[in-house]
Amino acid sequence: MSQMQNVEKQLREMILGLEIGPGERLTERWVESRFGASRTPVRAALLRLETEGLICRDGRGWTVSPINLAELEQIAVYREAVEVAALRLTCTLQDRSAVEIIEAMLDSCDDQTPREEWHRVGMDFHIELARLSGNEFLFRAVRDVMTRLSRARWLEVRDEAALGRAWAEHHAILSAVRAGDADTAARLLSAHIIGSRDRLVTSLRNDRRGLRARGFAVVA
């Protein structure tokens, strides 16, 4: 792994894991010192993260992009289009046995599972379900959009009730896919995406003051 790739990977993990909060300022000098990297690979890594929308320019420095409520609502519309398209393709496959692997992944989470793992599995559910479609473009679209949502979803996993609801909905979607019932699976997935969006946006909007006190920037 090159120095640029190493800086990019670690900085991305810090941003997505909220170790560096939305709205927090970054300087190239701090990144160089933090990762023991030289200026050129650091700048290249920052530019890569900028294209993902994780950071943005702030004068001569950089700022971790705030969580944007309007963007979350727009992403849900995009997610619904690409994820439902992928799901319908999966339901037409003769061999849908790979659904069992995704179900086992969900079942691996219990009361003793760290929140970090719940977060990862919740993300992977959507990504791996799209992968089953066999359409590389739909798979990449879902993977990229879930990465974009990662920070906001970290805030959502604090809610025990929301986690339980999401897992029940995930299992219902998988049951419909296993049966090859594309219409039911699509309806359940659409409701899951829109419901998740509504709950997340409402939670973030209601908790903006508290999040701001913790240094997390949330904009409308």
Side-chain angles (χ1 to χ4, degrees), residues 105-106 109 117-127 146 153 167 170:
M105 183 175 67
L106 293 176
C109 293
E117 184 67 7
W118 281 93
H119 176 265
R120 186 190 66 79
V121 171
M123 299 274 289
D124 286 349
F125 168 81
H126 292 275
I127 295 169
M146 293 309 294
R153 288 173 62 88
W167 251 242
H170 288 167

Side-chain angles (χ1 to χ4, degrees), residues 72-74 76-77 192-202:
L72 293 180
E73 294 181 348
Q74 293 173 12
V77 175
H192 172 69
I193 291 171
I194 299 306
S196 177
R197 176 205 64 188
D198 291 347
R199 289 188 296 271
L200 182 57
V201 169
T202 298

